[in-house]
């Protein structure tokens, strides 16, 4: 990369990082309510469709479809969701249902 382009990108990188930080801090806080295994999941008081929680070690991910049909996602890292809250989420989140069709492996 030519030095002029590298310096231009080096100057723009902190500005872009600041823009992302401002955008992140302006996002509203979300309130999730899990109403049991067969009850609706509420996000900010509104029922959502196809809500699912997945785990990758201590990381928690939730995915749902809003009223307009758009897919929304959130992720929690261990530093943003303490261990007692992770356990509460794991216990309250709806379980994934097993496949209803035949065998899912080759026979």
């Amino acid at each position: 990369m030519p030095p002029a382009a590298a310096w231009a990108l080096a100057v723009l990188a902190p500005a872009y990082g600041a823009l992302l930080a401002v955008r992140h801090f302006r996002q509203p806080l979300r309130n999730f309510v899990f109403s049991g295994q067969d009850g609706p999941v509420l996000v900010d008081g509104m029922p959502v469709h196809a809500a699912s929680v997945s785990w990758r070690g201590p990381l928690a991910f939730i995915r749902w479809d809003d009223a307009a049909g758009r897919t929304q996602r959130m992720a929690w890292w261990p530093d943003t969701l303490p261990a007692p809250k992770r356990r509460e989420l794991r216990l309250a989140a709806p379980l994934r249902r097993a496949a209803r069709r035949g065998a899912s492996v080759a026979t």
Side-chain angles (χ1 to χ4, degrees):
M1 175 177 288
W7 280 105
L9 288 176
V11 169
L12 292 176
Y16 183 66
L19 174 72
L20 290 178
V22 168
R23 190 180 299 168
H24 174 73
F25 285 114
R26 285 187 179 171
Q27 289 180 343
L29 296 177
R30 298 283 188 171
N31 184 18
F32 293 90
V33 177
F34 297 97
S35 305
Q37 296 302 326
D38 293 327
V41 175
L42 304 175
V43 177
D44 298 332
M46 303 294 293
V48 297
H49 307 286
S52 65
V53 178
S54 59
W55 296 88
R56 291 189 181 102
L59 306 177
F61 301 91
I62 185 169
R63 179 181 175 169
W64 72 94
D65 295 335
D66 63 10
R70 292 182 301 242
T71 300
Q72 304 288 326
R73 295 175 187 86
M74 284 196 72
W76 291 281
W77 291 71
D79 62 337
T80 60
L81 190 66
K85 292 292 184 183
R86 279 197 312 270
R87 178 171 169 71
E88 184 178 342
L89 177 61
R90 192 178 296 270
L91 293 173
L95 295 174
R96 290 187 177 183
R97 305 233 181 238
R100 294 183 185 203
R101 297 185 190 181
S104 59
V105 296
T107 56

XYZ file of all heavy atoms in Angstrom:
829
model
N 0.854 -1.162 0.000
C 0.000 0.000 0.000
C 0.907 1.234 0.000
O 1.867 1.303 0.766
C -0.906 -0.023 1.235
C -1.740 1.214 1.381
S -2.879 1.171 2.773
C -4.067 0.026 2.221
N 0.579 2.195 -0.808
C 1.389 3.416 -0.823
C 1.315 4.140 0.528
O 0.273 4.117 1.195
C 0.744 4.277 -1.920
C -0.121 3.354 -2.700
C -0.448 2.198 -1.830
N 2.392 4.750 0.952
C 2.406 5.422 2.255
C 1.327 6.492 2.407
O 0.755 6.656 3.482
C 3.805 6.042 2.331
C 4.632 5.221 1.412
C 3.716 4.767 0.324
N 1.009 7.216 1.356
C -0.021 8.260 1.451
C -1.384 7.640 1.787
O -2.127 8.152 2.637
C -0.100 9.046 0.149
N -1.701 6.530 1.149
C -2.975 5.858 1.426
C -2.973 5.260 2.832
O -3.995 5.297 3.533
C -3.227 4.778 0.381
N -1.850 4.716 3.272
C -1.758 4.141 4.614
C -1.958 5.201 5.672
O -2.671 4.980 6.661
C -0.397 3.449 4.790
N -1.363 6.383 5.489
C -1.537 7.466 6.463
C -2.969 7.982 6.458
O -3.524 8.304 7.514
C -0.553 8.594 6.188
C 0.811 8.286 6.727
C 1.906 7.908 6.014
C 1.188 8.287 8.091
N 2.954 7.676 6.860
C 2.536 7.904 8.157
C 0.532 8.560 9.283
C 3.237 7.802 9.348
C 1.229 8.463 10.467
C 2.559 8.092 10.497
N -3.577 8.054 5.289
C -4.975 8.503 5.223
C -5.879 7.529 5.968
O -6.770 7.944 6.730
C -5.412 8.652 3.774
N -5.667 6.241 5.778
C -6.468 5.240 6.484
C -6.175 5.259 7.982
O -7.088 5.064 8.795
C -6.219 3.851 5.905
C -6.825 3.603 4.530
C -6.410 2.223 4.021
C -8.334 3.722 4.582
N -4.928 5.504 8.354
C -4.573 5.560 9.773
C -5.255 6.737 10.460
O -5.627 6.652 11.634
C -3.059 5.662 9.926
N -5.451 7.829 9.751
C -6.138 8.986 10.319
C -7.636 8.727 10.403
O -8.304 9.127 11.356
C -5.833 10.257 9.479
C -6.724 11.414 9.877
C -4.362 10.628 9.614
N -8.209 8.029 9.414
C -9.647 7.770 9.387
C -10.081 6.654 10.330
O -11.239 6.634 10.759
C -10.098 7.443 7.961
C -10.033 8.596 6.966
C -10.407 8.124 5.583
C -10.936 9.734 7.414
N -9.212 5.726 10.660
C -9.591 4.585 11.493
C -10.109 5.000 12.875
O -11.160 4.505 13.301
C -8.424 3.609 11.614
N -9.454 5.898 13.616
C -10.008 6.301 14.920
C -11.358 7.029 14.782
O -12.239 6.876 15.627
C -8.955 7.234 15.510
C -7.704 6.908 14.795
C -8.112 6.452 13.445
N -11.522 7.800 13.721
C -12.800 8.496 13.517
C -13.915 7.478 13.269
O -15.027 7.618 13.808
C -12.693 9.464 12.348
N -13.624 6.458 12.495
C -14.628 5.420 12.248
C -14.927 4.650 13.533
O -16.079 4.320 13.819
C -14.144 4.470 11.147
C -15.154 3.421 10.787
C -16.359 3.764 10.195
C -14.908 2.077 11.039
C -17.291 2.806 9.860
C -15.824 1.110 10.715
C -17.028 1.479 10.117
O -17.950 0.522 9.794
N -13.920 4.381 14.340
C -14.134 3.721 15.627
C -15.003 4.559 16.548
O -15.887 4.037 17.239
N -14.775 5.870 16.562
C -15.610 6.757 17.380
C -17.051 6.756 16.880
O -17.997 6.747 17.676
C -15.040 8.164 17.365
N -17.240 6.761 15.564
C -18.590 6.701 14.993
C -19.304 5.418 15.415
O -20.476 5.451 15.808
C -18.525 6.796 13.473
C -19.841 6.607 12.739
C -20.743 7.814 12.954
C -19.590 6.371 11.267
N -18.617 4.281 15.368
C -19.218 3.014 15.782
C -19.548 3.021 17.271
O -20.587 2.497 17.686
C -18.282 1.849 15.457
C -18.110 1.526 13.981
C -17.109 0.375 13.814
C -19.426 1.170 13.329
N -18.691 3.625 18.092
C -18.947 3.692 19.531
C -20.179 4.541 19.821
O -21.030 4.158 20.630
C -17.732 4.250 20.262
N -20.316 5.666 19.163
C -21.495 6.516 19.359
C -22.752 5.786 18.921
O -23.776 5.801 19.606
C -21.329 7.853 18.596
C -22.633 8.613 18.527
C -20.246 8.685 19.239
N -22.686 5.110 17.793
C -23.849 4.353 17.297
C -24.234 3.250 18.280
O -25.414 3.015 18.534
C -23.514 3.755 15.936
C -24.704 3.159 15.228
C -24.339 2.581 13.884
N -23.799 3.604 13.006
C -23.192 3.334 11.857
N -23.031 2.095 11.464
N -22.729 4.311 11.108
N -23.240 2.594 18.863
C -23.512 1.527 19.826
C -24.166 2.069 21.096
O -25.126 1.504 21.604
C -22.216 0.801 20.175
C -22.366 -0.205 21.256
N -23.006 -1.406 21.065
C -21.990 -0.185 22.547
C -23.008 -2.075 22.197
N -22.395 -1.357 23.111
N -23.668 3.183 21.617
C -24.204 3.733 22.861
C -25.573 4.374 22.684
O -26.295 4.568 23.656
C -23.222 4.721 23.483
C -22.055 4.034 24.122
C -20.786 4.193 23.618
C -22.234 3.198 25.213
C -19.703 3.550 24.197
C -21.168 2.545 25.799
C -19.897 2.725 25.289
N -25.966 4.684 21.460
C -27.295 5.240 21.205
C -28.361 4.164 21.059
O -29.542 4.480 21.041
C -27.275 6.105 19.959
C -26.609 7.430 20.179
C -26.760 8.311 18.987
N -26.128 9.597 19.238
C -25.955 10.518 18.320
N -26.365 10.299 17.091
N -25.368 11.655 18.619
N -27.965 2.909 20.932
C -28.947 1.838 20.808
C -29.731 1.710 22.114
O -29.157 1.786 23.202
C -28.269 0.504 20.508
C -27.705 0.409 19.131
C -27.048 -0.947 18.886
O -26.754 -1.680 19.819
N -26.824 -1.260 17.636
N -31.053 1.511 22.001
C -31.844 1.385 23.232
C -31.572 0.052 23.931
O -31.165 -0.924 23.303
C -33.289 1.438 22.720
C -33.199 0.949 21.314
C -31.855 1.411 20.800
N -31.787 0.038 25.240
C -31.675 -1.201 25.993
C -32.862 -2.093 25.647
O -33.970 -1.614 25.421
C -31.654 -0.913 27.487
C -30.458 -0.113 27.996
C -30.620 0.163 29.478
C -29.175 -0.864 27.729
N -32.639 -3.373 25.599
C -33.696 -4.328 25.266
C -34.164 -5.034 26.529
O -33.372 -5.322 27.421
C -33.187 -5.380 24.279
C -32.754 -4.843 22.960
C -33.956 -4.545 22.132
N -33.537 -4.202 20.794
C -34.362 -4.066 19.803
N -35.637 -4.230 19.983
N -33.920 -3.738 18.621
N -35.447 -5.345 26.580
C -36.037 -6.068 27.695
C -36.639 -7.356 27.138
O -37.559 -7.303 26.315
C -37.114 -5.210 28.368
C -37.685 -5.876 29.575
O -37.110 -6.794 30.119
N -38.846 -5.431 29.988
N -36.117 -8.509 27.570
C -36.584 -9.807 27.108
C -37.397 -10.481 28.195
O -36.991 -10.494 29.357
C -35.399 -10.721 26.750
C -34.629 -10.250 25.554
C -33.556 -9.394 25.692
C -34.990 -10.667 24.293
C -32.853 -8.948 24.606
C -34.287 -10.238 23.185
C -33.214 -9.375 23.346
N -38.548 -11.057 27.819
C -39.375 -11.828 28.748
C -39.667 -13.167 28.083
O -40.256 -13.218 26.999
C -40.694 -11.094 29.088
C -41.557 -11.964 29.984
C -40.413 -9.758 29.740
N -39.255 -14.248 28.738
C -39.527 -15.599 28.261
C -40.662 -16.155 29.098
O -40.524 -16.321 30.303
C -38.277 -16.477 28.387
C -37.139 -15.991 27.546
C -36.137 -15.210 28.102
C -37.069 -16.301 26.211
C -35.080 -14.757 27.345
C -36.020 -15.853 25.432
C -35.026 -15.081 25.998
N -41.795 -16.471 28.479
C -43.003 -16.909 29.187
C -43.130 -18.423 29.192
O -44.163 -18.964 28.822
C -44.237 -16.291 28.533
O -44.124 -14.906 28.470
N -42.133 -19.129 29.582
C -42.197 -20.590 29.616
C -41.863 -21.183 28.266
O -41.606 -20.482 27.288
N -41.877 -22.497 28.202
C -41.454 -23.193 26.989
C -42.393 -22.994 25.805
O -41.960 -22.940 24.674
C -41.282 -24.687 27.287
C -40.193 -24.970 28.282
C -38.834 -24.435 27.852
O -38.513 -24.405 26.683
N -38.053 -23.981 28.806
N -43.701 -22.897 26.042
C -44.637 -22.745 24.936
C -45.245 -21.349 24.868
O -46.038 -21.060 23.989
C -45.754 -23.784 25.047
C -45.227 -25.197 24.832
O -44.279 -25.342 24.034
O -45.740 -26.123 25.465
N -44.893 -20.481 25.797
C -45.421 -19.125 25.812
C -44.672 -18.231 24.840
O -43.595 -18.564 24.349
N -45.238 -17.071 24.548
C -44.560 -16.159 23.617
C -43.349 -15.491 24.257
O -43.290 -15.307 25.469
C -45.643 -15.125 23.299
C -46.497 -15.108 24.520
C -46.503 -16.527 25.033
N -42.393 -15.162 23.433
C -41.232 -14.395 23.878
C -41.535 -12.931 23.594
O -41.977 -12.582 22.499
C -39.955 -14.846 23.141
C -38.772 -13.980 23.520
C -39.665 -16.305 23.428
N -41.318 -12.086 24.584
C -41.575 -10.661 24.430
C -40.254 -9.907 24.409
O -39.384 -10.134 25.244
C -42.432 -10.138 25.583
C -43.776 -10.822 25.813
C -44.438 -10.264 27.056
C -44.669 -10.648 24.610
N -40.110 -9.021 23.445
C -38.959 -8.126 23.370
C -39.507 -6.712 23.435
O -40.292 -6.310 22.575
C -38.153 -8.342 22.076
C -36.999 -7.346 21.992
C -37.636 -9.759 21.993
N -39.143 -6.000 24.474
C -39.648 -4.648 24.719
C -41.173 -4.617 24.770
O -41.814 -3.694 24.286
C -39.129 -3.662 23.671
C -37.622 -3.535 23.690
O -37.032 -3.751 24.768
O -37.033 -3.217 22.648
N -41.762 -5.668 25.334
C -43.206 -5.737 25.501
C -43.977 -6.200 24.287
O -45.197 -6.339 24.342
N -43.334 -6.462 23.177
C -43.995 -6.901 21.942
C -43.671 -8.370 21.688
O -42.508 -8.771 21.784
C -43.512 -6.068 20.744
C -43.710 -4.569 20.904
S -45.432 -4.096 20.945
C -45.920 -4.485 19.293
N -44.685 -9.194 21.356
C -44.392 -10.596 21.050
C -43.593 -10.720 19.758
O -43.811 -9.973 18.809
C -45.781 -11.232 20.918
C -46.712 -10.105 20.690
C -46.099 -8.881 21.264
N -42.661 -11.653 19.753
C -41.822 -11.890 18.580
C -41.993 -13.328 18.123
O -42.493 -14.183 18.853
C -40.339 -11.576 18.859
C -40.152 -10.113 19.193
C -39.799 -12.445 19.958
N -41.572 -13.603 16.907
C -41.715 -14.933 16.316
C -40.343 -15.579 16.154
O -39.346 -14.897 15.947
C -42.389 -14.828 14.948
C -43.677 -14.084 14.987
N -44.821 -14.622 15.523
C -44.001 -12.831 14.610
C -45.797 -13.735 15.444
N -45.316 -12.628 14.896
N -40.326 -16.868 16.241
C -39.131 -17.675 15.969
C -37.935 -17.242 16.805
O -36.826 -17.137 16.297
C -38.796 -17.642 14.482
N -38.136 -16.991 18.079
C -37.022 -16.622 18.956
C -36.226 -17.872 19.310
O -36.788 -18.898 19.652
C -37.535 -15.949 20.219
N -34.922 -17.775 19.196
C -34.071 -18.903 19.569
C -32.808 -18.370 20.233
O -32.268 -17.340 19.848
C -33.702 -19.743 18.348
O -32.901 -18.997 17.467
N -32.370 -19.088 21.246
C -31.152 -18.748 21.973
C -30.137 -19.847 21.704
O -30.458 -21.029 21.802
C -31.422 -18.624 23.492
C -30.133 -18.328 24.247
C -32.453 -17.550 23.759
N -28.937 -19.464 21.346
C -27.877 -20.450 21.138
C -26.675 -20.039 21.983
O -26.508 -18.876 22.346
C -27.504 -20.560 19.660
O -27.067 -19.315 19.172
N -25.856 -21.026 22.292
C -24.714 -20.831 23.182
C -23.460 -21.332 22.507
O -23.470 -22.371 21.853
C -24.926 -21.596 24.486
C -26.087 -21.090 25.255
C -27.388 -21.485 25.133
C -26.072 -20.072 26.243
N -28.172 -20.772 25.997
C -27.388 -19.896 26.697
C -25.070 -19.286 26.800
C -27.730 -18.984 27.674
C -25.406 -18.379 27.775
C -26.719 -18.228 28.205
N -22.394 -20.607 22.686
C -21.065 -21.049 22.266
C -20.136 -20.772 23.435
O -19.600 -19.681 23.565
C -20.617 -20.313 21.016
C -21.419 -20.721 19.812
C -20.845 -20.163 18.534
N -21.671 -20.578 17.421
C -22.552 -19.803 16.818
N -22.718 -18.562 17.213
N -23.274 -20.257 15.816
N -20.021 -21.761 24.306
C -19.266 -21.573 25.538
C -19.980 -20.559 26.414
O -21.186 -20.664 26.640
N -19.297 -19.533 26.895
C -19.955 -18.532 27.737
C -20.679 -17.454 26.934
O -21.301 -16.568 27.497
C -18.794 -17.921 28.519
C -17.631 -18.059 27.605
C -17.851 -19.358 26.863
N -20.616 -17.508 25.606
C -21.276 -16.514 24.763
C -22.715 -16.918 24.508
O -22.997 -18.069 24.187
C -20.552 -16.358 23.430
C -19.067 -16.043 23.499
C -18.484 -15.987 22.104
C -18.832 -14.751 24.225
N -23.629 -15.955 24.631
C -25.054 -16.213 24.387
C -25.496 -15.381 23.188
O -25.147 -14.208 23.062
C -25.879 -15.836 25.606
N -26.282 -16.004 22.305
C -26.794 -15.339 21.122
C -28.299 -15.555 21.058
O -28.771 -16.671 21.277
C -26.169 -15.927 19.853
C -24.675 -15.823 19.814
C -23.879 -16.838 20.317
C -24.063 -14.702 19.296
C -22.517 -16.755 20.290
C -22.682 -14.611 19.264
C -21.905 -15.634 19.762
N -29.060 -14.508 20.769
C -30.492 -14.648 20.574
C -30.830 -14.098 19.195
O -30.244 -13.116 18.732
C -31.313 -13.948 21.677
C -32.797 -14.244 21.483
C -31.035 -12.466 21.717
C -33.671 -13.837 22.644
N -31.762 -14.773 18.546
C -32.212 -14.393 17.207
C -33.725 -14.465 17.200
O -34.312 -15.415 17.717
C -31.610 -15.353 16.200
C -32.008 -15.097 14.796
C -31.382 -16.112 13.890
N -31.895 -15.902 12.563
C -31.429 -16.459 11.483
N -30.435 -17.302 11.584
N -31.948 -16.202 10.326
N -34.389 -13.467 16.615
C -35.846 -13.457 16.546
C -36.297 -12.666 15.337
O -35.526 -11.916 14.745
C -36.436 -12.875 17.827
C -36.272 -11.394 18.001
C -37.150 -10.417 17.655
C -35.147 -10.717 18.557
N -36.648 -9.180 17.963
C -35.422 -9.332 18.524
C -33.933 -11.120 19.095
C -34.533 -8.375 18.990
C -33.055 -10.158 19.550
C -33.358 -8.820 19.496
N -37.558 -12.864 14.957
C -38.178 -12.103 13.879
C -39.118 -11.094 14.504
O -39.969 -11.451 15.325
C -38.961 -13.022 12.941
C -38.052 -13.994 12.197
O -36.865 -13.672 12.025
O -38.530 -15.061 11.800
N -38.982 -9.817 14.130
C -39.845 -8.790 14.692
C -41.193 -8.770 13.975
O -41.462 -9.604 13.110
C -39.164 -7.421 14.675
C -38.851 -6.927 13.276
O -39.319 -7.536 12.295
O -38.139 -5.915 13.153
N -42.060 -7.813 14.342
C -43.410 -7.747 13.776
C -43.382 -7.502 12.270
O -44.303 -7.912 11.555
C -44.204 -6.646 14.469
N -42.352 -6.847 11.762
C -42.241 -6.577 10.327
C -41.607 -7.744 9.571
O -41.443 -7.673 8.360
C -41.427 -5.313 10.098
N -41.225 -8.822 10.276
C -40.627 -9.978 9.634
C -39.116 -9.892 9.475
O -38.514 -10.766 8.866
N -38.496 -8.851 9.993
C -37.041 -8.710 9.907
C -36.373 -9.514 11.017
O -36.844 -9.534 12.142
C -36.647 -7.245 10.017
C -37.081 -6.410 8.827
C -36.607 -4.989 9.001
N -37.152 -4.434 10.223
C -37.964 -3.386 10.275
N -38.306 -2.768 9.191
N -38.418 -2.946 11.431
N -35.263 -10.123 10.701
C -34.505 -10.885 11.683
C -33.649 -9.932 12.507
O -32.939 -9.095 11.957
C -33.620 -11.934 10.986
O -34.453 -12.815 10.246
C -32.809 -12.727 11.992
N -33.744 -10.069 13.828
C -32.960 -9.268 14.764
C -32.031 -10.205 15.531
O -32.366 -11.365 15.743
C -33.880 -8.544 15.750
C -34.919 -7.681 15.107
C -34.339 -6.421 14.503
O -33.382 -5.854 15.023
N -34.904 -5.987 13.393
N -30.889 -9.692 15.945
C -29.913 -10.512 16.677
C -29.286 -9.703 17.792
O -29.111 -8.500 17.675
C -28.796 -10.968 15.739
C -29.225 -11.877 14.642
C -28.058 -12.154 13.709
N -28.464 -12.896 12.550
C -28.941 -12.354 11.440
N -29.038 -11.045 11.335
N -29.301 -13.098 10.432
N -28.919 -10.411 18.855
C -28.138 -9.823 19.942
C -27.154 -10.871 20.435
O -27.403 -12.067 20.303
C -29.036 -9.385 21.093
C -29.787 -8.108 20.814
S -30.451 -7.386 22.302
C -28.963 -6.799 23.084
N -26.067 -10.397 21.007
C -25.062 -11.296 21.570
C -24.618 -10.746 22.914
O -24.555 -9.534 23.114
C -23.854 -11.412 20.633
N -24.342 -11.659 23.838
C -23.832 -11.280 25.156
C -22.511 -11.970 25.386
O -22.404 -13.185 25.283
C -24.801 -11.675 26.262
C -26.053 -10.887 26.264
C -26.242 -9.629 26.753
C -27.317 -11.309 25.772
N -27.542 -9.249 26.579
C -28.225 -10.258 25.981
C -27.780 -12.469 25.157
C -29.556 -10.337 25.606
C -29.095 -12.551 24.784
C -29.968 -11.478 25.017
N -21.517 -11.185 25.729
C -20.208 -11.689 26.095
C -20.155 -11.803 27.610
O -20.958 -11.185 28.300
C -19.127 -10.740 25.575
C -19.031 -10.756 24.092
C -19.937 -10.243 23.211
C -18.008 -11.332 23.312
N -19.526 -10.462 21.935
C -18.339 -11.123 21.965
C -16.837 -11.989 23.620
C -17.528 -11.567 20.928
C -16.039 -12.425 22.586
C -16.378 -12.210 21.252
N -19.227 -12.560 28.145
C -19.150 -12.707 29.608
C -18.983 -11.377 30.343
O -19.433 -11.243 31.472
C -17.933 -13.602 29.813
C -17.813 -14.375 28.558
C -18.281 -13.449 27.470
N -18.377 -10.383 29.718
C -18.203 -9.111 30.414
C -19.472 -8.252 30.376
O -19.575 -7.278 31.113
C -17.022 -8.329 29.848
C -17.197 -7.975 28.388
O -17.974 -8.659 27.708
O -16.551 -7.023 27.928
N -20.450 -8.591 29.544
C -21.691 -7.823 29.492
C -22.856 -8.542 30.162
O -23.864 -7.916 30.452
C -22.095 -7.514 28.042
O -22.280 -8.736 27.327
C -21.040 -6.673 27.358
N -22.729 -9.832 30.390
C -23.778 -10.610 31.048
C -23.114 -11.472 32.120
O -22.462 -12.464 31.808
C -24.514 -11.491 30.028
C -25.772 -12.182 30.519
C -26.853 -11.163 30.853
C -26.297 -13.136 29.464
N -23.258 -11.099 33.411
C -22.594 -11.859 34.471
C -23.113 -13.288 34.573
O -24.189 -13.617 34.060
C -22.897 -11.064 35.738
C -23.874 -10.022 35.377
C -24.004 -9.980 33.891
N -22.353 -14.138 35.229
C -22.681 -15.560 35.330
C -24.085 -15.835 35.870
O -24.795 -16.683 35.311
C -21.633 -16.279 36.172
N -24.573 -15.159 36.926
C -25.941 -15.448 37.383
C -27.004 -15.114 36.324
O -27.980 -15.843 36.170
C -26.115 -14.548 38.616
C -24.735 -14.261 39.088
C -23.882 -14.265 37.861
N -26.795 -14.060 35.558
C -27.748 -13.696 34.506
C -27.667 -14.667 33.329
O -28.668 -14.979 32.695
C -27.500 -12.266 34.019
C -27.814 -11.225 35.052
C -29.297 -11.180 35.310
C -29.628 -10.072 36.278
N -31.027 -10.030 36.603
N -26.452 -15.169 33.024
C -26.321 -16.176 31.963
C -27.082 -17.434 32.348
O -27.768 -18.035 31.521
C -24.848 -16.514 31.723
C -24.130 -15.527 30.858
C -22.822 -16.077 30.308
N -21.967 -16.709 31.294
C -21.041 -16.091 32.001
N -20.842 -14.808 31.845
N -20.295 -16.752 32.849
N -26.977 -17.830 33.612
C -27.705 -19.013 34.075
C -29.205 -18.779 33.995
O -29.950 -19.645 33.555
C -27.300 -19.363 35.507
C -28.040 -20.550 36.066
C -27.445 -20.986 37.388
N -28.273 -21.940 38.069
C -28.460 -23.201 37.712
N -27.881 -23.657 36.622
N -29.236 -24.000 38.402
N -29.657 -17.606 34.389
C -31.085 -17.282 34.311
C -31.567 -17.326 32.860
O -32.642 -17.855 32.572
C -31.305 -15.887 34.902
C -32.741 -15.467 34.979
C -32.897 -14.102 35.616
O -31.975 -13.618 36.290
O -33.976 -13.511 35.412
N -30.768 -16.807 31.940
C -31.133 -16.853 30.522
C -31.170 -18.282 30.019
O -32.086 -18.679 29.301
C -30.142 -16.026 29.696
C -30.349 -16.025 28.188
C -31.712 -15.434 27.840
C -29.245 -15.256 27.500
N -30.199 -19.083 30.426
C -30.162 -20.485 29.978
C -31.395 -21.254 30.463
O -31.966 -22.065 29.737
C -28.892 -21.163 30.488
C -28.625 -22.509 29.852
C -27.332 -23.113 30.354
N -26.153 -22.367 30.007
C -25.449 -22.546 28.899
N -25.831 -23.438 28.019
N -24.363 -21.839 28.675
N -31.839 -20.976 31.692
C -33.000 -21.679 32.238
C -34.320 -21.156 31.661
O -35.278 -21.908 31.523
C -33.013 -21.561 33.761
C -31.881 -22.279 34.489
C -31.907 -21.938 35.964
C -31.970 -23.771 34.267
N -34.393 -19.872 31.336
C -35.647 -19.279 30.876
C -35.851 -19.395 29.376
O -36.988 -19.347 28.906
C -35.692 -17.803 31.266
N -34.796 -19.547 28.614
C -34.902 -19.551 27.155
C -35.649 -20.785 26.666
O -35.533 -21.868 27.241
C -33.514 -19.508 26.540
N -36.415 -20.628 25.594
C -37.126 -21.784 25.041
C -36.155 -22.827 24.495
O -35.112 -22.483 23.942
C -37.980 -21.189 23.928
C -37.436 -19.841 23.665
C -36.666 -19.418 24.864
N -36.525 -24.089 24.674
C -35.700 -25.179 24.167
C -35.935 -25.340 22.677
O -37.021 -25.095 22.170
C -36.059 -26.488 24.870
C -35.776 -26.542 26.362
C -36.323 -27.835 26.937
C -34.294 -26.422 26.624
N -34.911 -25.777 21.985
C -35.078 -26.093 20.569
C -35.793 -27.420 20.446
O -35.522 -28.361 21.177
C -33.725 -26.168 19.875
C -33.078 -24.836 19.756
C -31.848 -24.953 18.914
N -31.258 -23.642 18.738
C -30.205 -23.426 18.008
N -29.624 -24.413 17.384
N -29.719 -22.221 17.890
N -36.701 -27.491 19.524
C -37.472 -28.716 19.322
C -36.699 -29.676 18.417
O -35.960 -29.256 17.537
C -38.806 -28.377 18.681
C -39.559 -27.354 19.491
C -40.914 -27.853 19.790
N -41.638 -26.839 20.543
C -42.154 -27.038 21.713
N -42.021 -28.200 22.286
N -42.817 -26.101 22.333
N -36.909 -30.947 18.637
C -36.263 -31.966 17.818
C -36.903 -31.993 16.436
O -38.037 -31.566 16.240
C -36.404 -33.329 18.480
N -36.164 -32.504 15.478
C -36.684 -32.616 14.122
C -37.876 -33.559 14.100
O -37.896 -34.594 14.772
C -35.598 -33.122 13.182
N -38.906 -33.223 13.333
C -40.109 -34.040 13.287
C -40.071 -35.062 12.168
O -40.858 -35.983 12.142
C -41.333 -33.143 13.086
C -41.563 -32.250 14.257
C -42.790 -31.447 14.045
N -42.925 -30.502 15.138
C -44.042 -29.950 15.505
N -45.137 -30.218 14.861
N -44.087 -29.114 16.511
N -39.212 -34.889 11.238
C -39.159 -35.808 10.101
C -38.387 -37.061 10.488
O -38.000 -37.245 11.623
C -38.475 -35.116 8.920
C -39.264 -33.929 8.476
C -38.659 -33.328 7.255
N -39.311 -32.060 7.001
C -39.027 -31.291 6.011
N -38.116 -31.641 5.147
N -39.645 -30.157 5.842
N -38.127 -37.871 9.506
C -37.411 -39.122 9.726
C -35.993 -38.894 10.205
O -35.630 -37.810 10.653
N -35.201 -39.902 10.073
C -33.819 -39.848 10.549
C -33.069 -38.715 9.879
O -33.210 -38.454 8.695
C -33.128 -41.174 10.248
N -32.256 -38.034 10.654
C -31.509 -36.904 10.110
C -30.071 -37.285 9.772
O -29.269 -36.435 9.454
C -31.509 -35.747 11.115
O -30.926 -36.168 12.322
N -29.758 -38.576 9.829
C -28.431 -39.053 9.447
C -28.580 -40.117 8.376
O -29.642 -40.738 8.239
C -27.654 -39.630 10.665
C -27.389 -38.550 11.681
C -28.414 -40.750 11.299
N -27.572 -40.292 7.624
C -27.610 -41.305 6.576
C -27.643 -42.704 7.182
O -26.992 -42.974 8.191
C -26.391 -41.170 5.665
N -28.422 -43.563 6.602
C -28.501 -44.942 7.096
C -27.926 -45.911 6.112
O -27.763 -45.662 4.976
C -29.952 -45.342 7.391
O -30.725 -45.150 6.221
C -30.483 -44.527 8.531
